[in-house]
Amino acid sequence: HIDTKDASKRNATAPYLYGLMHEDISHSGDGGIYAELLANRAFQGSNWNTTLLPNYNGSLIGPSENPVEPIAPVLTAWAAIGNGTRITLDRLHPLSSAIPTGIEIDFPENAEGEVGFQNFGWWGMNVEPQTYNVSFYVQGNYPRNQENTTAFTVSLRSNLTGEVFASSTVSNVSVSFIDHTFVTTTLHPNATAPNSNNTFVITFDGDTVKGQTYYFSLFSLMPETFMGTPNGLRKDIAQAFYDMNPTFLRFPGGNNLEGVSPQQRWKWWETLGPLTDRPGRAGDWGYYNTQGLGLLEYLQWTEDMNIERLLAVYAGFSLDVWGQSGASYPPDRMQEILQEALDEIEFCQGNITSKWGSVRASLGHPEPFDIKFVEIGNEDWFSNTYPYRWEYLYNGLKAAYPNITYISTAYNEASTSFGYNISIPSGELWDTHHYEEPSFFVRGFDFYDNWQERTNNTGVEIFLGEYSALQIDTPTGIVDFSFPADVHIMYPRLVSALSEGVYLLGMERNPNVCKLSAYAPSLQDFNWYNWTPDMIGFDADPSHTVLSASYWLQLLLGSYRGTQTLPVTNSEGDFNPLFWVATLDEDKNCIYLKVINILGDSVPLSANIPEAYRSVNGTILTAADLNSYNYIYNQTEVVPKPLNISTSAPTGYGDDAVFKWDVPRWSITVLQFDL
Ligand code: AHR
């Protein structure tokens, strides 16, 4: 029985329950949502991993081990064109202190025909009718190229056939000998290339450059971006996030916030301003991060999607994911870390007369970005120093910014086996992560039902900061995080969505406790990844972007959010195999009933819905098999479909009208009852 009368029994739903988590893992940033199409555009650093992971084999098996290797600039993704043309790394003509490495290109004395070099992109690049902005820096080599004017032809070509899709020649460029000349142009393909095996090419007439040398640095090939934001996001991936109706973005990590060493941590101030000032860093996930997607770009992302910001600040701990070792700032150096975080928040939301607010304004965004949530660190249960680090940073930040809600990454409840004592003040949040088996999520449906009593009414609230059904059920229930993983789910399956959905409904039923959630990781480049499963998979070809079963689950739950929970009293049977939650949308004046059936048979549902709500429609997510999943070549195995059940509208009178329906097996349904 759904009680739509007694308003005193309702609770306000948690307005930010469904959000996004993003960090650069599995090339989700560089090569992923960051729209730049050139790989290794500024020769900043190598992948730590020289072995590409399996591609397109449809395997359900996770990634192989990432060997740790030194980071050094490399020529990865670049190649010379023309007999005798030579490209080498060059550090004698640094573009800036942040971008010290470029390439030297030498043309032979007998150069003729077309000579130059090309970039293969992030395992290819998408070419379609749109405007591509091209830029690069070039320096001449006096006295050999005395003439000092050069024609650069840039083009987009098929790597298979050589077909040119777009070309532009910048003539008579007066190339400086003493520093770099900035060259820009645009490309406008007329047609979509048949596939993404394409390259970006810069060529010269061999006759005009024979015997000459040039030094190039910091190339860029930018397609049109989400909302047209400069230096912005890849359109299709950002649109997929946007379509989920998320309410916040957690950034920039995850482990990738922490750095494999304190020196390599995410230093927000090094991610700002012109690309010539961004040195990048050795990301935590085995490849160099350009930091083209920097703090301001993250903030812009939230503005473009009109969502709240959940800023994760460095908390004085760096975790070497591969070496499984960590380094903590000692108590007497925590002031440095606090100041970093204070400055970062000031950069985001300080007014333009403040030191860092004025920097933000100088970068083109005088309006402040309000910060609603700040997370202090990431997964600090890996460290026994969090008690003093949390306390120091929390106290310092709360004193300066009392209106922000703070999030601890460890808590007594979870950490007692380590002997920690983290006290989280009432009204602040604990970020708990669950990479588990499907049965864990189903068992956890009622986990938060008596949370406050279990935690002595301390008022600590919950952020489910990362979660996924990581592996199928095993006899031990122990989750295997090792690489290579033999039991990891490669792509989220129907069973993932069902079980994660049950857990999320449990959270929806407890809006006084459960405030935020985000699936992780959110993105995976099919060509190079660290972790599976992921919510969205992609490669260079937008038609290959795969929205997983877990993606659709969240789109459904996040898109139909009532404003008030409605009490449901259950006269026959308890939860399992059906799980449900009912909410009232006061704006639309409708009732949402979310129902999940985890059984392999249909289950009859009978619900009292007041007669007034005569019209019913719904959307269902199900598939042929519990193990069904979406992939490049079967993208629609598990997708939501409209449910035609208008004939099942409630029958009967008054508040006792009844809606009867057989809930299909293995399904997630949102029913909407309108007046
Ligand atoms: O989501 C992948 C990783 O899982 C995150 O970086 C980390 O926070 C967690 O261990």
Side-chain angles (χ1 to χ4, degrees), residues 21 23 25 250 253-258 284-285 319 321 378-379 381-382 431 433 435 466-467 481 519-522 531 534:
M21 147 60 165
E23 67 172 329
I25 179 173
R250 174 183 172 214
N255 291 137
N256 205 33
L257 163 73
E258 301 174 284
D284 285 52
W285 293 109
L319 176 73
V321 190
N378 176 64
E379 292 193 339
W381 64 78
F382 277 111
D431 174 2
H433 293 177
Y435 296 108
E466 299 179 21
Y467 69 90
F481 287 99
Y519 186 99
S522 51
W531 187 288
D534 303 275

PDB file of all heavy atoms in Angstrom, residues 21 23 25 250 253-258 284-285 319 321 378-379 381-382 431 433 435 466-467 481 519-522 531 534, ligand 1:
ATOM      1  N   MET A  21      31.574  10.226 -11.016  1.00  0.00           N
ATOM      2  CA  MET A  21      32.949  10.223 -10.497  1.00  0.00           C
ATOM      3  C   MET A  21      33.861  10.192 -11.719  1.00  0.00           C
ATOM      4  O   MET A  21      33.666   9.384 -12.621  1.00  0.00           O
ATOM      5  CB  MET A  21      33.150   8.976  -9.632  1.00  0.00           C
ATOM      6  CG  MET A  21      34.535   8.348  -9.633  1.00  0.00           C
ATOM      7  SD  MET A  21      35.815   9.411  -9.058  1.00  0.00           S
ATOM      8  CE  MET A  21      37.170   8.319  -8.746  1.00  0.00           C
ATOM      9  N   GLU A  23      38.061  10.298 -12.845  1.00  0.00           N
ATOM     10  CA  GLU A  23      39.503  10.480 -12.710  1.00  0.00           C
ATOM     11  C   GLU A  23      40.126   9.926 -13.979  1.00  0.00           C
ATOM     12  O   GLU A  23      39.504   9.122 -14.685  1.00  0.00           O
ATOM     13  CB  GLU A  23      40.059   9.749 -11.493  1.00  0.00           C
ATOM     14  CG  GLU A  23      39.993   8.237 -11.595  1.00  0.00           C
ATOM     15  CD  GLU A  23      40.727   7.528 -10.472  1.00  0.00           C
ATOM     16  OE1 GLU A  23      41.727   8.065  -9.971  1.00  0.00           O
ATOM     17  OE2 GLU A  23      40.293   6.426 -10.108  1.00  0.00           O
ATOM     18  N   ILE A  25      41.785   7.446 -15.540  1.00  0.00           N
ATOM     19  CA  ILE A  25      42.140   6.028 -15.434  1.00  0.00           C
ATOM     20  C   ILE A  25      41.683   5.418 -16.751  1.00  0.00           C
ATOM     21  O   ILE A  25      40.710   5.882 -17.346  1.00  0.00           O
ATOM     22  CB  ILE A  25      41.447   5.368 -14.220  1.00  0.00           C
ATOM     23  CG1 ILE A  25      41.780   3.877 -14.097  1.00  0.00           C
ATOM     24  CG2 ILE A  25      39.946   5.550 -14.258  1.00  0.00           C
ATOM     25  CD1 ILE A  25      41.251   3.231 -12.797  1.00  0.00           C
ATOM     26  N   ARG A 250      32.364  14.267  -8.982  1.00  0.00           N
ATOM     27  CA  ARG A 250      33.526  14.126  -8.096  1.00  0.00           C
ATOM     28  C   ARG A 250      34.776  14.108  -8.967  1.00  0.00           C
ATOM     29  O   ARG A 250      34.866  13.330  -9.906  1.00  0.00           O
ATOM     30  CB  ARG A 250      33.426  12.824  -7.299  1.00  0.00           C
ATOM     31  CG  ARG A 250      34.670  12.535  -6.464  1.00  0.00           C
ATOM     32  CD  ARG A 250      34.558  11.194  -5.734  1.00  0.00           C
ATOM     33  NE  ARG A 250      35.816  10.839  -5.093  1.00  0.00           N
ATOM     34  CZ  ARG A 250      36.273   9.591  -4.963  1.00  0.00           C
ATOM     35  NH1 ARG A 250      35.558   8.570  -5.425  1.00  0.00           N
ATOM     36  NH2 ARG A 250      37.419   9.356  -4.380  1.00  0.00           N
ATOM     37  N   GLY A 253      39.928  12.579  -8.512  1.00  0.00           N
ATOM     38  CA  GLY A 253      40.231  11.192  -8.196  1.00  0.00           C
ATOM     39  C   GLY A 253      39.651  10.877  -6.855  1.00  0.00           C
ATOM     40  O   GLY A 253      39.110  11.774  -6.188  1.00  0.00           O
ATOM     41  N   GLY A 254      39.692   9.598  -6.454  1.00  0.00           N
ATOM     42  CA  GLY A 254      40.446   8.483  -6.989  1.00  0.00           C
ATOM     43  C   GLY A 254      41.931   8.569  -6.676  1.00  0.00           C
ATOM     44  O   GLY A 254      42.485   9.535  -6.173  1.00  0.00           O
ATOM     45  N   ASN A 255      42.540   7.427  -6.950  1.00  0.00           N
ATOM     46  CA  ASN A 255      43.982   7.354  -6.735  1.00  0.00           C
ATOM     47  C   ASN A 255      44.724   8.433  -7.508  1.00  0.00           C
ATOM     48  O   ASN A 255      45.802   8.865  -7.105  1.00  0.00           O
ATOM     49  CB  ASN A 255      44.508   5.975  -7.169  1.00  0.00           C
ATOM     50  CG  ASN A 255      44.038   4.870  -6.249  1.00  0.00           C
ATOM     51  OD1 ASN A 255      43.640   3.804  -6.693  1.00  0.00           O
ATOM     52  ND2 ASN A 255      44.071   5.127  -4.958  1.00  0.00           N
ATOM     53  N   ASN A 256      44.147   8.864  -8.623  1.00  0.00           N
ATOM     54  CA  ASN A 256      44.890   9.805  -9.459  1.00  0.00           C
ATOM     55  C   ASN A 256      45.036  11.184  -8.821  1.00  0.00           C
ATOM     56  O   ASN A 256      45.798  12.004  -9.297  1.00  0.00           O
ATOM     57  CB  ASN A 256      44.241   9.923 -10.845  1.00  0.00           C
ATOM     58  CG  ASN A 256      45.243  10.356 -11.875  1.00  0.00           C
ATOM     59  OD1 ASN A 256      46.434  10.006 -11.771  1.00  0.00           O
ATOM     60  ND2 ASN A 256      44.826  11.136 -12.846  1.00  0.00           N
ATOM     61  N   LEU A 257      44.329  11.428  -7.757  1.00  0.00           N
ATOM     62  CA  LEU A 257      44.536  12.654  -6.983  1.00  0.00           C
ATOM     63  C   LEU A 257      45.844  12.572  -6.207  1.00  0.00           C
ATOM     64  O   LEU A 257      46.549  13.575  -6.021  1.00  0.00           O
ATOM     65  CB  LEU A 257      43.366  12.819  -6.002  1.00  0.00           C
ATOM     66  CG  LEU A 257      43.543  13.795  -4.835  1.00  0.00           C
ATOM     67  CD1 LEU A 257      43.477  15.234  -5.357  1.00  0.00           C
ATOM     68  CD2 LEU A 257      42.471  13.570  -3.781  1.00  0.00           C
ATOM     69  N   GLU A 258      46.159  11.363  -5.752  1.00  0.00           N
ATOM     70  CA  GLU A 258      47.179  11.205  -4.719  1.00  0.00           C
ATOM     71  C   GLU A 258      48.605  11.212  -5.236  1.00  0.00           C
ATOM     72  O   GLU A 258      49.523  11.636  -4.540  1.00  0.00           O
ATOM     73  CB  GLU A 258      46.945   9.889  -3.979  1.00  0.00           C
ATOM     74  CG  GLU A 258      45.592   9.796  -3.325  1.00  0.00           C
ATOM     75  CD  GLU A 258      45.350   8.429  -2.728  1.00  0.00           C
ATOM     76  OE1 GLU A 258      45.063   7.486  -3.491  1.00  0.00           O
ATOM     77  OE2 GLU A 258      45.472   8.296  -1.516  1.00  0.00           O
ATOM     78  N   ASP A 284      48.618   8.257 -11.872  1.00  0.00           N
ATOM     79  CA  ASP A 284      48.711   7.038 -11.062  1.00  0.00           C
ATOM     80  C   ASP A 284      48.429   5.775 -11.856  1.00  0.00           C
ATOM     81  O   ASP A 284      48.690   4.680 -11.369  1.00  0.00           O
ATOM     82  CB  ASP A 284      47.691   7.104  -9.906  1.00  0.00           C
ATOM     83  CG  ASP A 284      48.144   8.053  -8.821  1.00  0.00           C
ATOM     84  OD1 ASP A 284      48.469   9.212  -9.137  1.00  0.00           O
ATOM     85  OD2 ASP A 284      48.179   7.635  -7.643  1.00  0.00           O
ATOM     86  N   TRP A 285      47.852   5.948 -13.050  1.00  0.00           N
ATOM     87  CA  TRP A 285      47.369   4.747 -13.743  1.00  0.00           C
ATOM     88  C   TRP A 285      48.218   4.352 -14.940  1.00  0.00           C
ATOM     89  O   TRP A 285      47.709   3.872 -15.954  1.00  0.00           O
ATOM     90  CB  TRP A 285      45.908   4.933 -14.128  1.00  0.00           C
ATOM     91  CG  TRP A 285      45.039   4.997 -12.910  1.00  0.00           C
ATOM     92  CD1 TRP A 285      44.408   6.087 -12.410  1.00  0.00           C
ATOM     93  CD2 TRP A 285      44.746   3.910 -12.019  1.00  0.00           C
ATOM     94  NE1 TRP A 285      43.731   5.758 -11.256  1.00  0.00           N
ATOM     95  CE2 TRP A 285      43.923   4.424 -10.999  1.00  0.00           C
ATOM     96  CE3 TRP A 285      45.104   2.559 -11.978  1.00  0.00           C
ATOM     97  CZ2 TRP A 285      43.448   3.638  -9.943  1.00  0.00           C
ATOM     98  CZ3 TRP A 285      44.628   1.774 -10.936  1.00  0.00           C
ATOM     99  CH2 TRP A 285      43.814   2.308  -9.946  1.00  0.00           C
ATOM    100  N   LEU A 319      49.719   7.366  -2.717  1.00  0.00           N
ATOM    101  CA  LEU A 319      49.694   5.901  -2.742  1.00  0.00           C
ATOM    102  C   LEU A 319      50.279   5.415  -4.051  1.00  0.00           C
ATOM    103  O   LEU A 319      49.786   5.762  -5.120  1.00  0.00           O
ATOM    104  CB  LEU A 319      48.250   5.398  -2.621  1.00  0.00           C
ATOM    105  CG  LEU A 319      48.073   3.895  -2.731  1.00  0.00           C
ATOM    106  CD1 LEU A 319      48.573   3.196  -1.470  1.00  0.00           C
ATOM    107  CD2 LEU A 319      46.612   3.538  -2.963  1.00  0.00           C
ATOM    108  N   VAL A 321      50.064   2.911  -6.326  1.00  0.00           N
ATOM    109  CA  VAL A 321      49.116   1.824  -6.578  1.00  0.00           C
ATOM    110  C   VAL A 321      49.841   0.539  -6.919  1.00  0.00           C
ATOM    111  O   VAL A 321      49.457  -0.559  -6.531  1.00  0.00           O
ATOM    112  CB  VAL A 321      48.185   2.179  -7.755  1.00  0.00           C
ATOM    113  CG1 VAL A 321      47.042   1.185  -7.868  1.00  0.00           C
ATOM    114  CG2 VAL A 321      47.654   3.584  -7.623  1.00  0.00           C
ATOM    115  N   ASN A 378      41.534  10.393  -0.498  1.00  0.00           N
ATOM    116  CA  ASN A 378      40.909   9.277  -1.211  1.00  0.00           C
ATOM    117  C   ASN A 378      41.293   7.973  -0.535  1.00  0.00           C
ATOM    118  O   ASN A 378      42.485   7.733  -0.285  1.00  0.00           O
ATOM    119  CB  ASN A 378      41.394   9.233  -2.665  1.00  0.00           C
ATOM    120  CG  ASN A 378      40.841   8.023  -3.405  1.00  0.00           C
ATOM    121  OD1 ASN A 378      39.634   7.906  -3.582  1.00  0.00           O
ATOM    122  ND2 ASN A 378      41.709   7.104  -3.792  1.00  0.00           N
ATOM    123  N   GLU A 379      40.316   7.172  -0.212  1.00  0.00           N
ATOM    124  CA  GLU A 379      40.551   5.823   0.329  1.00  0.00           C
ATOM    125  C   GLU A 379      41.670   5.814   1.363  1.00  0.00           C
ATOM    126  O   GLU A 379      42.630   5.038   1.249  1.00  0.00           O
ATOM    127  CB  GLU A 379      40.871   4.850  -0.806  1.00  0.00           C
ATOM    128  CG  GLU A 379      39.684   4.602  -1.713  1.00  0.00           C
ATOM    129  CD  GLU A 379      39.860   3.412  -2.645  1.00  0.00           C
ATOM    130  OE1 GLU A 379      41.006   2.995  -2.894  1.00  0.00           O
ATOM    131  OE2 GLU A 379      38.831   2.904  -3.123  1.00  0.00           O
ATOM    132  N   TRP A 381      41.809   4.644   4.145  1.00  0.00           N
ATOM    133  CA  TRP A 381      41.960   3.464   4.994  1.00  0.00           C
ATOM    134  C   TRP A 381      43.249   2.720   4.656  1.00  0.00           C
ATOM    135  O   TRP A 381      43.685   1.853   5.378  1.00  0.00           O
ATOM    136  CB  TRP A 381      40.752   2.533   4.871  1.00  0.00           C
ATOM    137  CG  TRP A 381      40.546   1.929   3.504  1.00  0.00           C
ATOM    138  CD1 TRP A 381      41.228   0.884   2.956  1.00  0.00           C
ATOM    139  CD2 TRP A 381      39.580   2.329   2.543  1.00  0.00           C
ATOM    140  NE1 TRP A 381      40.744   0.614   1.699  1.00  0.00           N
ATOM    141  CE2 TRP A 381      39.728   1.475   1.419  1.00  0.00           C
ATOM    142  CE3 TRP A 381      38.597   3.309   2.516  1.00  0.00           C
ATOM    143  CZ2 TRP A 381      38.937   1.599   0.281  1.00  0.00           C
ATOM    144  CZ3 TRP A 381      37.810   3.416   1.384  1.00  0.00           C
ATOM    145  CH2 TRP A 381      37.977   2.577   0.284  1.00  0.00           C
ATOM    146  N   PHE A 382      43.878   3.125   3.522  1.00  0.00           N
ATOM    147  CA  PHE A 382      45.175   2.549   3.176  1.00  0.00           C
ATOM    148  C   PHE A 382      46.293   3.105   4.070  1.00  0.00           C
ATOM    149  O   PHE A 382      47.421   2.679   3.970  1.00  0.00           O
ATOM    150  CB  PHE A 382      45.543   2.868   1.722  1.00  0.00           C
ATOM    151  CG  PHE A 382      44.926   1.929   0.737  1.00  0.00           C
ATOM    152  CD1 PHE A 382      43.931   2.352  -0.125  1.00  0.00           C
ATOM    153  CD2 PHE A 382      45.356   0.609   0.667  1.00  0.00           C
ATOM    154  CE1 PHE A 382      43.368   1.479  -1.046  1.00  0.00           C
ATOM    155  CE2 PHE A 382      44.795  -0.272  -0.256  1.00  0.00           C
ATOM    156  CZ  PHE A 382      43.797   0.166  -1.102  1.00  0.00           C
ATOM    157  N   ASP A 431      32.743   8.630   2.729  1.00  0.00           N
ATOM    158  CA  ASP A 431      32.795   8.052   1.379  1.00  0.00           C
ATOM    159  C   ASP A 431      33.167   6.582   1.496  1.00  0.00           C
ATOM    160  O   ASP A 431      34.298   6.246   1.849  1.00  0.00           O
ATOM    161  CB  ASP A 431      33.826   8.813   0.531  1.00  0.00           C
ATOM    162  CG  ASP A 431      34.027   8.177  -0.840  1.00  0.00           C
ATOM    163  OD1 ASP A 431      33.346   7.181  -1.147  1.00  0.00           O
ATOM    164  OD2 ASP A 431      34.876   8.685  -1.599  1.00  0.00           O
ATOM    165  N   HIS A 433      33.405   2.801  -0.406  1.00  0.00           N
ATOM    166  CA  HIS A 433      33.564   2.234  -1.752  1.00  0.00           C
ATOM    167  C   HIS A 433      33.207   0.754  -1.741  1.00  0.00           C
ATOM    168  O   HIS A 433      33.641   0.026  -0.850  1.00  0.00           O
ATOM    169  CB  HIS A 433      35.015   2.406  -2.221  1.00  0.00           C
ATOM    170  CG  HIS A 433      35.390   3.838  -2.432  1.00  0.00           C
ATOM    171  ND1 HIS A 433      36.653   4.233  -2.791  1.00  0.00           N
ATOM    172  CD2 HIS A 433      34.655   4.970  -2.343  1.00  0.00           C
ATOM    173  CE1 HIS A 433      36.677   5.560  -2.909  1.00  0.00           C
ATOM    174  NE2 HIS A 433      35.479   6.027  -2.629  1.00  0.00           N
ATOM    175  N   TYR A 435      33.441  -2.301  -4.352  1.00  0.00           N
ATOM    176  CA  TYR A 435      33.669  -3.135  -5.539  1.00  0.00           C
ATOM    177  C   TYR A 435      33.423  -4.557  -5.053  1.00  0.00           C
ATOM    178  O   TYR A 435      34.251  -5.130  -4.327  1.00  0.00           O
ATOM    179  CB  TYR A 435      35.098  -2.959  -6.056  1.00  0.00           C
ATOM    180  CG  TYR A 435      35.359  -1.541  -6.548  1.00  0.00           C
ATOM    181  CD1 TYR A 435      36.166  -0.667  -5.834  1.00  0.00           C
ATOM    182  CD2 TYR A 435      34.790  -1.094  -7.735  1.00  0.00           C
ATOM    183  CE1 TYR A 435      36.390   0.627  -6.281  1.00  0.00           C
ATOM    184  CE2 TYR A 435      35.013   0.192  -8.195  1.00  0.00           C
ATOM    185  CZ  TYR A 435      35.806   1.049  -7.465  1.00  0.00           C
ATOM    186  OH  TYR A 435      36.032   2.329  -7.911  1.00  0.00           O
ATOM    187  N   GLU A 466      32.265   5.175  -4.792  1.00  0.00           N
ATOM    188  CA  GLU A 466      32.658   4.312  -5.905  1.00  0.00           C
ATOM    189  C   GLU A 466      31.980   2.976  -5.677  1.00  0.00           C
ATOM    190  O   GLU A 466      31.970   2.477  -4.550  1.00  0.00           O
ATOM    191  CB  GLU A 466      34.180   4.115  -5.938  1.00  0.00           C
ATOM    192  CG  GLU A 466      34.955   5.400  -6.124  1.00  0.00           C
ATOM    193  CD  GLU A 466      36.477   5.194  -6.122  1.00  0.00           C
ATOM    194  OE1 GLU A 466      36.942   4.072  -6.368  1.00  0.00           O
ATOM    195  OE2 GLU A 466      37.187   6.182  -5.862  1.00  0.00           O
ATOM    196  N   TYR A 467      31.434   2.413  -6.730  1.00  0.00           N
ATOM    197  CA  TYR A 467      30.879   1.073  -6.594  1.00  0.00           C
ATOM    198  C   TYR A 467      30.739   0.441  -7.960  1.00  0.00           C
ATOM    199  O   TYR A 467      30.625   1.135  -8.969  1.00  0.00           O
ATOM    200  CB  TYR A 467      29.503   1.092  -5.893  1.00  0.00           C
ATOM    201  CG  TYR A 467      28.410   1.717  -6.732  1.00  0.00           C
ATOM    202  CD1 TYR A 467      27.630   0.936  -7.602  1.00  0.00           C
ATOM    203  CD2 TYR A 467      28.185   3.075  -6.687  1.00  0.00           C
ATOM    204  CE1 TYR A 467      26.643   1.509  -8.379  1.00  0.00           C
ATOM    205  CE2 TYR A 467      27.201   3.661  -7.478  1.00  0.00           C
ATOM    206  CZ  TYR A 467      26.435   2.874  -8.324  1.00  0.00           C
ATOM    207  OH  TYR A 467      25.475   3.451  -9.113  1.00  0.00           O
ATOM    208  N   PHE A 481      41.112  -8.249  -6.682  1.00  0.00           N
ATOM    209  CA  PHE A 481      41.541  -7.002  -7.329  1.00  0.00           C
ATOM    210  C   PHE A 481      42.807  -7.192  -8.157  1.00  0.00           C
ATOM    211  O   PHE A 481      43.375  -6.237  -8.640  1.00  0.00           O
ATOM    212  CB  PHE A 481      41.788  -5.916  -6.283  1.00  0.00           C
ATOM    213  CG  PHE A 481      40.523  -5.373  -5.692  1.00  0.00           C
ATOM    214  CD1 PHE A 481      40.059  -5.822  -4.468  1.00  0.00           C
ATOM    215  CD2 PHE A 481      39.789  -4.415  -6.365  1.00  0.00           C
ATOM    216  CE1 PHE A 481      38.883  -5.328  -3.926  1.00  0.00           C
ATOM    217  CE2 PHE A 481      38.607  -3.909  -5.833  1.00  0.00           C
ATOM    218  CZ  PHE A 481      38.159  -4.366  -4.612  1.00  0.00           C
ATOM    219  N   TYR A 519      28.989   5.717  -9.594  1.00  0.00           N
ATOM    220  CA  TYR A 519      29.617   4.486 -10.103  1.00  0.00           C
ATOM    221  C   TYR A 519      31.071   4.796 -10.456  1.00  0.00           C
ATOM    222  O   TYR A 519      31.396   5.897 -10.893  1.00  0.00           O
ATOM    223  CB  TYR A 519      28.876   4.048 -11.364  1.00  0.00           C
ATOM    224  CG  TYR A 519      29.306   2.713 -11.931  1.00  0.00           C
ATOM    225  CD1 TYR A 519      28.575   1.570 -11.656  1.00  0.00           C
ATOM    226  CD2 TYR A 519      30.417   2.610 -12.759  1.00  0.00           C
ATOM    227  CE1 TYR A 519      28.949   0.341 -12.196  1.00  0.00           C
ATOM    228  CE2 TYR A 519      30.798   1.389 -13.295  1.00  0.00           C
ATOM    229  CZ  TYR A 519      30.064   0.256 -13.009  1.00  0.00           C
ATOM    230  OH  TYR A 519      30.433  -0.946 -13.537  1.00  0.00           O
ATOM    231  N   ALA A 520      31.940   3.815 -10.322  1.00  0.00           N
ATOM    232  CA  ALA A 520      33.335   4.019 -10.741  1.00  0.00           C
ATOM    233  C   ALA A 520      33.936   2.703 -11.210  1.00  0.00           C
ATOM    234  O   ALA A 520      33.531   1.649 -10.750  1.00  0.00           O
ATOM    235  CB  ALA A 520      34.162   4.591  -9.596  1.00  0.00           C
ATOM    236  N   PRO A 521      34.951   2.789 -12.088  1.00  0.00           N
ATOM    237  CA  PRO A 521      35.287   3.965 -12.874  1.00  0.00           C
ATOM    238  C   PRO A 521      34.197   4.240 -13.922  1.00  0.00           C
ATOM    239  O   PRO A 521      33.469   3.337 -14.318  1.00  0.00           O
ATOM    240  CB  PRO A 521      36.602   3.587 -13.549  1.00  0.00           C
ATOM    241  CG  PRO A 521      37.167   2.467 -12.733  1.00  0.00           C
ATOM    242  CD  PRO A 521      35.967   1.716 -12.227  1.00  0.00           C
ATOM    243  N   SER A 522      34.165   5.479 -14.358  1.00  0.00           N
ATOM    244  CA  SER A 522      33.091   5.835 -15.283  1.00  0.00           C
ATOM    245  C   SER A 522      33.443   5.548 -16.739  1.00  0.00           C
ATOM    246  O   SER A 522      32.549   5.320 -17.540  1.00  0.00           O
ATOM    247  CB  SER A 522      32.699   7.301 -15.103  1.00  0.00           C
ATOM    248  OG  SER A 522      33.824   8.129 -15.157  1.00  0.00           O
ATOM    249  N   TRP A 531      41.281  -1.091 -15.665  1.00  0.00           N
ATOM    250  CA  TRP A 531      40.282  -1.555 -14.708  1.00  0.00           C
ATOM    251  C   TRP A 531      38.997  -1.899 -15.460  1.00  0.00           C
ATOM    252  O   TRP A 531      38.577  -1.166 -16.351  1.00  0.00           O
ATOM    253  CB  TRP A 531      39.997  -0.391 -13.742  1.00  0.00           C
ATOM    254  CG  TRP A 531      39.121  -0.678 -12.585  1.00  0.00           C
ATOM    255  CD1 TRP A 531      37.775  -0.896 -12.620  1.00  0.00           C
ATOM    256  CD2 TRP A 531      39.498  -0.730 -11.215  1.00  0.00           C
ATOM    257  NE1 TRP A 531      37.304  -1.076 -11.349  1.00  0.00           N
ATOM    258  CE2 TRP A 531      38.342  -0.978 -10.472  1.00  0.00           C
ATOM    259  CE3 TRP A 531      40.719  -0.578 -10.538  1.00  0.00           C
ATOM    260  CZ2 TRP A 531      38.361  -1.090  -9.077  1.00  0.00           C
ATOM    261  CZ3 TRP A 531      40.726  -0.681  -9.161  1.00  0.00           C
ATOM    262  CH2 TRP A 531      39.575  -0.940  -8.451  1.00  0.00           C
ATOM    263  N   ASP A 534      33.573  -0.908 -16.366  1.00  0.00           N
ATOM    264  CA  ASP A 534      33.427   0.548 -16.390  1.00  0.00           C
ATOM    265  C   ASP A 534      32.050   0.896 -16.961  1.00  0.00           C
ATOM    266  O   ASP A 534      31.488   0.143 -17.745  1.00  0.00           O
ATOM    267  CB  ASP A 534      34.528   1.162 -17.260  1.00  0.00           C
ATOM    268  CG  ASP A 534      35.905   0.769 -16.757  1.00  0.00           C
ATOM    269  OD1 ASP A 534      36.420   1.428 -15.860  1.00  0.00           O
ATOM    270  OD2 ASP A 534      36.461  -0.246 -17.251  1.00  0.00           O
TER     271      ASP A 534
HETATM  272  O1  AHR B   1      38.003   3.421  -9.433  1.00  0.00           O
HETATM  273  C1  AHR B   1      39.291   2.930  -9.503  1.00  0.00           C
HETATM  274  C2  AHR B   1      40.035   3.142  -8.213  1.00  0.00           C
HETATM  275  O2  AHR B   1      39.403   2.392  -7.225  1.00  0.00           O
HETATM  276  C3  AHR B   1      40.059   4.520  -7.637  1.00  0.00           C
HETATM  277  O3  AHR B   1      41.058   5.310  -8.141  1.00  0.00           O
HETATM  278  C4  AHR B   1      40.295   4.282  -6.200  1.00  0.00           C
HETATM  279  O4  AHR B   1      39.744   5.291  -5.390  1.00  0.00           O
HETATM  280  C5  AHR B   1      39.689   2.928  -5.965  1.00  0.00           C
HETATM  281  O5  AHR B   1      40.544   2.078  -5.338  1.00  0.00           O
END
